Every structure is written in structure tokens, then in C-alpha cells.
Amino acid sequence: MKGLIVENTGKVRLVDDIPVPEINDYEALVKMECCMICNGTDMEIIHQQLREAKNYPLVLGHEGVGTVIKKGKNVRNFKIGDRVMRVSLGDSEKYHSGWGSFSEYGIVKDSGAMLEDGVDIPTACSSLTQQVVATEITPEQASLMITLKETCSAIWRTGACPGAELLIVGDGPVGLSMLSICNYMGIKDVDIVGNHEENLKVAEKIGARNRYHNKKDTDKEKLRSNRYDFYIDTIGTDETILQGLSVVKENGTIAVYGLRTGDNILLPVNNIRNITLKLVQWPIPAEEAKTHQFVEEGILDGKINTDILVTHRLPLEDYEEGFRAIVEKRALKVNLIIS
């Protein structure tokens, strides 16, 4: 079958020799419909910067959605025709797994049936987030739900709630998804700071209270005069974390979702008083799974606008343009359509 692989050199190629996966008794075979490019993790895999992806060549993609076409004899929570999310592909004799959703077929595991039958699964198992979406949810919406659920889970884990004042650092798809979730949760006092005027305009449409351009001195001065209960850092450099120390309230929280500091976080401890530094940069599958119905209802009710976050829709064969659009900062989310 065809799919996108990343070679040892970091080159991405479309190949047609990926083995079709075989399912076991607790798995279902899925025909893929689409998969979003993840601006963070996928690019880290390509540049060999992700700890969890060490073996190449690998099949790329972890924001994939498809339809169940076959299931194992012990599968009880998926049925033929179900649209499912976070479809994955295991290692094969030819390619390793970079989660593998950029392929024609993939697999979901029935973790619910496994637990009922006493089959041990790790609490960190991603199959916990391989969930069925409502029939009214489109493949594109289901794919975007993965980012929305990740960010929703992170916001929940910070403890942020209506009445709190938040600053979101970063105007990429993660920052804008977090803003969408906050708005849907009823957290209205949310500001955002970023580097891209077009993205900040999107933030305003979503419902940001104030938007600040990081490269404008007047905006930076205004920002420094504010104080926030929660400082949500989707970038995660020493510089952005340090900025949080100057604008977070006493007993406030700096929550780091992105983490691009290299091997160490270097912060001065002299003036750090009474704050919580929380790292929420990696999904906890069991916690992410809890957000499924909440996010799904937000989309179905029209309270979460998915169209505003997807800027490019391309066939899988045009993957090079999709990755170029991300590298050149022309895209928020790129949806590659597989079938």
C-alpha cells in the first residue's frame, strides 16, 4: 500500500510498498480517509529530534482518521463502518512506525474489550484515544479533534477555569486550538501573543480578549503591564518561560506545552516566588480520552469552529506542498486526503 515514509536522511517520500497490516483478535482494520500534518511532532520526526522516534525509515503520521472495514473476533467497541480517530500502524519487516497514519490502511485496538477480558495494556497506550466519532463529524473534523483533545486535556490539567485570566504564548495551531477550547469552556479573559499577524487575526475571530504582536515594541510594553493567573506557553524556550515569570500573578501557574529548550531548562531562581511551573507538553492517553465527548459536542453544536484552523486541503500526492506551506509559515493545519 502507499504512504509517506521518512528516510534516515530526513527525506519524506511517497512509496507504494508498505505492507498492509494484519489484525489480531482485539484489533480492527481501518481504511484511511485523511491525516493532518502535525506542525510540531511530525517536523521533529523529520529532523530526528523526537525521542520516541528513533528507528528509520518509518511511516509518518499520528492525526489520522478512517473507517473500520474489518475487525477481530474479540472486538466489541468498534463496528464495520465506524469512523475512528488516531489510527496507527505498527512496525513491519520493511518500515518502523512513526505512528503511521499517512498510509492507505491502519489499525485501531479495542482497549475497552482488552480491559474487560483482563488483557493488560499500558496506561500510556495510545489505543485509549482510538475512539469512534459521531456520524455527523466529518473526516477533517475528526482529524482536527486530535489536536483539540490534546490541548483540551492540557488546559484541564492546568486547572484553568472560567473567571481566570490566561495568556497563551504562540499563535500556531496549538495556541489557536487552546484558545478555541478556552472560549468553549467559558474562559473569556484570554489574551494571546504571537509573531504572525494573520494568525493573530484568526485569534481575534476565535475570541481572544487582546492580541499582542511579539515583534512590536508597543505591544510588548502593553503585555508587560498585565498579570495573569495562567501563562500557557506553547513554544517552551528558555526565553518564553522566563517571560512568564514577569507576567504571572503570585500563586499563578506557568504551564509549558511546547518544550524547545534542548536538554535543560535554564531559569534564574533569584526572583522566583510562589508560582507553579507545570509541564503539560505530552498527552496522557487516559486523560485525553476523557475529553472526547466534550470536544465532539463543541463541534456538533458549532461552538468550536474547525474550518478556521484548517488552511490547506491537499491530496496525499501533494504532500510536498503541504510540508512547504508549514515550513514557510503559510499554513495553520494541513489536511492530506488519502481516500
Side-chain angles (χ1 to χ4, degrees), residues 254-271:
I254 296 175
V256 182
Y257 186 91
L259 198 57
R260 301 185 181 181
T261 58
D263 294 329
N264 300 285
I265 298 175
L266 301 175
L267 298 174
V269 297
N270 296 9
N271 297 313

Side-chain angles (χ1 to χ4, degrees), residues 50-61:
L50 188 70
R51 181 185 64 190
E52 287 77 11
K54 291 295 186 185
N55 300 310
Y56 294 77
L58 56 75
V59 187
L60 192 64

Side-chain angles (χ1 to χ4, degrees), residues 2 31-34 65-67 103-104 139 316 336-339:
K2 68 181 179 181
K31 182 172 176 58
M32 300 302 298
E33 295 175 286
C34 68
V65 170
T67 303
S103 56
E104 289 185 280
L316 183 64
L336 295 183
I337 299 164
I338 298 169
S339 65

Side-chain angles (χ1 to χ4, degrees), residues 3-24:
L4 293 184
I5 67 155
V6 183
E7 297 179 331
N8 296 334
T9 59
K11 181 177 176 58
V12 182
R13 287 199 302 122
L14 179 63
V15 299
D16 61 2
D17 61 352
I18 301 171
V20 176
E22 296 183 5
I23 60 173
N24 66 30

Side-chain angles (χ1 to χ4, degrees), residues 193-207:
V193 57
N195 292 327
H196 309 96
E197 189 60 40
E198 290 304 312
N199 292 6
L200 290 172
K201 289 178 182 177
V202 173
E204 188 173 39
K205 291 177 182 177
I206 292 172

